[in-house]
Amino acid sequence: MAKYIERPLYIDRLKPFIGKSLIKVLIGQRRVGKSYLLMQLRDLIKKQSPDTQIIYINKEQHEFSKITNSDDLFLYLKENVKGNGNVALFIDEIQDIESFEITLRDLATRGNYDIYCTGSNANLLSSELATFLSGRYIEIKVFGLSYTEFLVFYNLQDSVATFQTYLKFGGLPYLINLNTEIQVAYEYLTSIYNTILLKDVVTRFKIRNVKFLENLVEFLADNIGSIVSSKKISDYLKSQKVNISPQVVIDYLGYLESSFLIFKVKRTGIEGKKIFEIGEKYFFEDIGIRNAIVGYKTSDIHKILENVVYLHLRMAGYSVTVGQEGNKEIDFIAQKAGEKIYVQVAYMLTNEGTIEREYGNLLEISDNFPKYVVTMDELTEISTYKGINRMHVKDFCLKMV
């Protein structure tokens, strides 16, 4: 039996809604562990409410292949639900059931259905759920393993070497079943990437220019943490003898976002509310997949660190933007429930110029919200400089989640 760990980060968010008529939707990239979260919820409900009937549908298993649309789903439930008691319904990869929202809306009105779903396509889920189930569902974003979960899952001690392993392989849970040879791991990660591209992008959005799509992903993987725009990408591709308009680039970027392969991070004013419409950063849902696409190179360490810090801020429930004021940039402005933190990410603070750049922009911010400079410098504890916290990146990730 495959190994799984408790993931309280998500289970605790879901516990208040167990037994409620709201539909609980777990969204995220393929293979981040959504199915195992469903299993944990199923086991929890079995323990808490042994009289509740459990119905579990996994659209990736052949026995459920005949459930292709809303009518099939309704008929399956009619045939398998016994009596009028409480039912806990679990549907894995629900986007593979056409018009699923019609049946879910019906079930949500009955009062005895406790419904949980997973999905790997943001656009499909958000549009259908918002249209047909407004006010009747909650959405929980599921990520791969955080660094804290990575330590527990692999039974490892926190160390710089362990964190470097995390940076290299990322947080997809199934990797524990493979050996630690980088070639083997990256072959698996490449297969996941190909599945996402084929199933969640090419097939779903009827993409014809697959080669361009692959080139676009490679460009993004090479430029994580850099400000890019659709025009910049289009111009770059033209230099490679690929003539693609900025609008097509925008469309393809949206498709990649909807599959949870990448995240788009907008720029905002550092202290104001200005939102920049052109130019954003892109980060990968899983740094291991990014490394499998373009290779793990020590020269890319700053990019990789920035990606991992972004992920941990998101895992901790923050909304995140890039701060911009003239030529000055703050890597991340993270906000949650009225709280705000500012984060600068650097590989090493090796000279006065680097120190001035990383601290200087933070020092010019007039509010009193926490400010962090996180690096890979050898640090035994948190230090402060003029009120700014300096931490090792791994310790910052442990602090977040």
Side-chain angles (χ1 to χ4, degrees):
M1 183 177 178
K3 175 181 178 179
Y4 68 86
I5 60 167
E6 297 294 325
R7 301 187 74 182
L9 179 66
Y10 304 106
I11 297 296
D12 289 348
R13 290 177 186 172
L14 286 159
K15 277 181 178 178
F17 302 103
I18 291 176
K20 304 296 191 296
S21 58
L22 285 171
I23 298 166
K24 282 70 70 175
V25 184
L26 306 179
I27 61 169
Q29 182 186 279
R30 290 180 182 271
R31 300 295 175 261
V32 294
K34 302 186 300 295
S35 299
Y36 281 101
L37 280 170
L38 278 194
M39 293 178 193
Q40 290 178 40
L41 286 164
R42 178 195 60 191
D43 294 345
L44 184 61
I45 290 169
K46 278 182 179 178
K47 184 177 180 181
Q48 291 181 347
S49 307
D51 293 334
T52 296
Q53 183 180 353
I54 305 291
I55 301 289
Y56 197 102
I57 298 169
N58 185 347
K59 277 298 294 170
E60 293 195 328
Q61 293 179 351
H62 181 69
E63 64 183 287
F64 301 108
S65 61
K66 292 182 179 179
I67 304 176
T68 61
N69 56 43
S70 180
D71 290 339
D72 296 335
L73 176 60
F74 191 85
L75 181 61
Y76 178 86
L77 295 172
K78 186 177 180 180
E79 292 174 348
N80 287 275
V81 172
K82 310 301 180 187
N84 298 312
N86 291 331
V87 179
L89 172 62
F90 299 86
I91 307 177
D92 208 353
E93 299 297 349
I94 196 169
Q95 77 275 352
D96 292 337
I97 301 175
E98 185 180 350
S99 302
F100 64 86
E101 68 281 355
I102 296 173
T103 294
L104 291 194
R105 181 175 58 178
D106 178 288
L107 299 176
T109 64
R110 298 190 177 209
N112 65 323
Y113 274 84
D114 187 14
I115 304 170
Y116 303 84
C117 310
T118 73
S120 304
N121 186 281
N123 281 0
L124 177 71
L125 290 169
S126 61
S127 61
E128 304 305 335
L129 291 170
T131 301
F132 289 90
L133 298 166
S134 179
R136 292 178 177 166
Y137 76 98
I138 63 156
E139 199 172 81
I140 304 290
K141 177 72 176 74
V142 181
F143 297 82
L145 301 175
S146 69
Y147 180 52
T148 301
E149 291 175 321
F150 180 82
L151 295 176
V152 174
F153 201 64
Y154 287 87
N155 193 27
L156 295 170
Q157 294 296 314
D158 171 39
S159 69
V160 172
T162 302
F163 186 67
Q164 288 172 333
T165 300
Y166 179 72
L167 296 179
K168 189 177 295 183
F169 294 106
L172 293 193
Y174 188 80
L175 284 172
I176 196 170
N177 298 300
L178 306 176
N179 63 44
T180 55
E181 288 183 20
I182 196 164
Q183 182 179 348
V184 174
Y186 283 3
E187 283 176 359
Y188 166 73
L189 292 169
T190 300
S191 75
I192 300 303
Y193 162 62
N194 289 334
T195 300
I196 293 169
L197 222 59
L198 179 61
K199 280 193 170 184
D200 300 325
V201 184
V202 173
T203 301
R204 190 167 299 283
F205 296 103
K206 299 177 173 60
I207 300 296
R208 293 182 179 178
N209 196 339
V210 178
K211 184 60 180 174
F212 160 62
L213 185 68
E214 293 172 341
N215 288 342
L216 177 59
V217 174
E218 288 184 18
F219 176 87
L220 295 174
D222 259 335
N223 288 276
I224 52 174
S226 298
I227 301 293
V228 299
S229 66
S230 57
K231 184 179 185 304
K232 179 179 178 181
I233 295 170
S234 179
D235 290 345
Y236 164 76
L237 292 169
K238 284 176 182 176
S239 74
Q240 305 297 307
K241 311 299 183 187
V242 180
N243 192 14
I244 298 291
S245 72
Q247 184 56 53
V248 173
V249 173
I250 289 170
D251 291 342
Y252 279 36
L253 288 169
Y255 303 153
L256 293 169
E257 279 185 84
S258 77
S259 69
F260 302 109
L261 183 68
I262 61 170
F263 293 104
K264 177 172 71 175
V265 187
K266 291 189 174 183
R267 293 181 298 152
T268 58
I270 291 177
E271 295 189 71
K273 295 183 178 180
K274 179 180 179 181
I275 299 174
F276 294 83
E277 296 299 330
I278 298 175
E280 51 271 325
K281 291 188 178 185
Y282 288 90
F283 295 103
F284 275 70
E285 166 87 29
D286 181 75
I287 197 64
I289 287 180
R290 179 267 172 195
N291 294 339
I293 293 168
V294 293
Y296 176 82
K297 303 182 288 288
T298 53
S299 58
D300 287 345
I301 189 65
H302 179 267
K303 302 177 186 179
I304 294 169
L305 292 176
E306 203 168 323
N307 201 134
V308 167
V309 169
Y310 169 77
L311 289 175
H312 279 71
L313 288 167
R314 289 293 309 277
M315 290 174 193
Y318 287 95
S319 62
V320 183
T321 60
V322 175
Q324 188 86 38
E325 209 71 57
N327 294 325
K328 297 173 182 175
E329 180 182 300
I330 302 296
D331 288 331
F332 300 120
I333 301 174
Q335 301 185 68
K336 177 175 65 174
E339 301 176 9
K340 184 189 291 187
I341 63 174
Y342 301 92
V343 185
Q344 290 284 64
V345 183
Y347 175 45
M348 297 279 189
L349 299 183
T350 53
N351 55 60
E352 287 299 321
T354 306
I355 293 171
E356 172 58 31
R357 182 179 68 248
E358 303 301 340
Y359 281 97
N361 292 348
L362 291 173
L363 287 170
E364 291 188 20
I365 300 172
S366 58
D367 66 41
N368 294 317
F369 288 111
K371 301 169 182 68
Y372 295 90
V373 172
V374 297
T375 76
M376 287 287 282
D377 291 307
E378 291 186 18
L379 299 168
T380 56
E381 59 184 17
I382 299 175
S383 62
T384 59
Y385 173 74
K386 295 186 178 180
I388 295 173
N389 301 295
R390 182 179 176 187
M391 299 178 68
H392 195 285
V393 182
K394 71 178 183 63
D395 297 325
F396 182 81
C397 291
L398 289 172
K399 171 185 169 66
M400 284 297 108
V401 280

